[in-house]
Amino acid sequence: MTANGYLLDTNICAFYLRGKFDIDKFIDHVGWDNCYISEITMLELKFGAEYSMQKDGIDRSEGLNSFLDEINILPIVDAIDFAAKEKIRLRLNGTPVADNFDLLIASTAIVYDYVMVTDNIKDFKNFIGIKIDNWVKR
């Protein structure tokens, strides 16, 4: 899939950080300059690293910080209006969004006209105007 940009979902970033599913090869193929994450994904990744540290004492912050230094991080502010309207549309259609973080991540992909790269297709398929790709090959 050719695109102007790819918004990586949190699960894709986690797979990259763990060296799984050759996500690094996909990023290298499309180019780091064309890969983005939402501020929400940054929050989720930082939460995961902190939780890991407190739960099992494993410090993943160095690898995470290196990744965050390389990846483009998009603000969510430009997606807020769209997210509010989309949340209403989904609710009225009987398919309310289960996770407001997913709503904000999806809305960011749509507003910037980027491909949403995720392994959780079901969480994003109901958003209007979203383009989805899954780089995970099992």
Side-chain angles (χ1 to χ4, degrees), residues 67-79:
F67 173 75
L68 293 174
D69 286 343
E70 292 293 320
I71 198 84
N72 301 299
I73 302 171
L74 295 174
I76 61 169
V77 68
D78 295 333

Side-chain angles (χ1 to χ4, degrees), residues 56-125:
D56 56 23
I58 298 173
D59 185 358
R60 292 182 169 87
S61 61
E62 185 176 331
L64 175 57
N65 289 333
S66 293
F67 173 75
L68 293 174
D69 286 343
E70 292 293 320
I71 198 84
N72 301 299
I73 302 171
L74 295 174
I76 61 169
V77 68
D78 295 333
I80 297 294
D81 287 342
F82 180 85
K85 291 174 185 172
E86 188 65 354
K87 185 171 182 170
I88 293 166
R89 186 191 70 79
L90 290 166
R91 182 176 290 168
L92 293 175
N93 283 347
T95 56
V97 63
D99 183 333
N100 283 322
F101 283 171
D102 286 345
L103 169 70
L104 289 166
I105 293 169
S107 296
T108 302
I110 294 163
V111 166
Y112 283 94
D113 195 29
Y114 291 161
V115 173
M116 180 81 243
V117 180
T118 184
D119 190 36
N120 292 333
I121 304 296
K122 66 177 177 48
D123 293 342
F124 293 94
K125 68 180 182 179

Side-chain angles (χ1 to χ4, degrees), residues 4-20:
N4 292 330
Y6 298 87
L7 188 69
L8 309 184
D9 193 13
T10 308
N11 57 57
I12 297 299
C13 297
F15 294 147
Y16 170 82
L17 291 166
R18 293 182 185 133
K20 295 177 108 181

